[in-house]
Amino acid sequence: MIAGYVTDAAALALRHEPVPTEQVVAGAPTTASVELDTIGDVEVGVWEMTPGAMRDVEADEVFIVLAGSADVVFDDPALPPIELRPGSVVRLTTGMRTVWTVSETLRKIYVAG
């Protein structure tokens, strides 16, 4: 990104790849991401997933959902499942184990350190 200029994260073209077979829970989801910038050791980017379900191990990040809908279930039984919709802001920490079930292609902006 160039300081003082706008990037339309909602309209940014992304190149999708299939989710690795060992992570797929249901369907045939694909994901895509692009790093927009770094500030020190912090990465800012856009990530997207198509409908389906996948397991993941999370990084340390905060994200904001731009579009789509999904449910995220944590392996840790102390954490309740969350519903993601445009405007949702979520904090994840390194090592959290999750299952993402996307019902409408989900696009988020993430900030990860």
Side-chain angles (χ1 to χ4, degrees):
M1 293 179 61
I2 299 172
Y5 288 85
V6 173
T7 297
D8 186 348
L12 196 61
L14 299 175
R15 187 171 155 245
H16 280 252
E17 295 189 12
V19 169
T21 304
E22 65 273 10
Q23 289 180 262
V24 173
V25 173
T30 64
T31 60
S33 66
V34 63
E35 181 180 311
L36 297 175
D37 207 347
T38 56
I39 302 168
D41 292 337
V42 176
E43 179 181 321
V44 178
V46 176
W47 180 87
E48 186 171 84
M49 181 178 163
T50 60
M54 68 174 271
R55 295 186 186 285
D56 202 11
V57 178
E58 302 304 331
D60 197 20
E61 74 173 280
V62 172
F63 67 84
I64 302 164
V65 175
L66 295 177
S69 61
D71 294 313
V72 179
V73 175
F74 299 92
D75 278 1
D76 182 343
L79 296 171
I82 58 175
E83 293 181 21
L84 301 177
R85 305 289 179 264
S88 296
V89 180
V90 179
R91 172 80 163 91
L92 300 173
T93 57
T94 300
M96 287 179 145
R97 295 183 179 281
T98 56
V99 174
W100 292 68
T101 302
V102 173
S103 52
E104 180 184 346
T105 298
L106 187 82
R107 182 174 284 213
K108 67 179 185 175
I109 293 179
Y110 66 86
V111 179

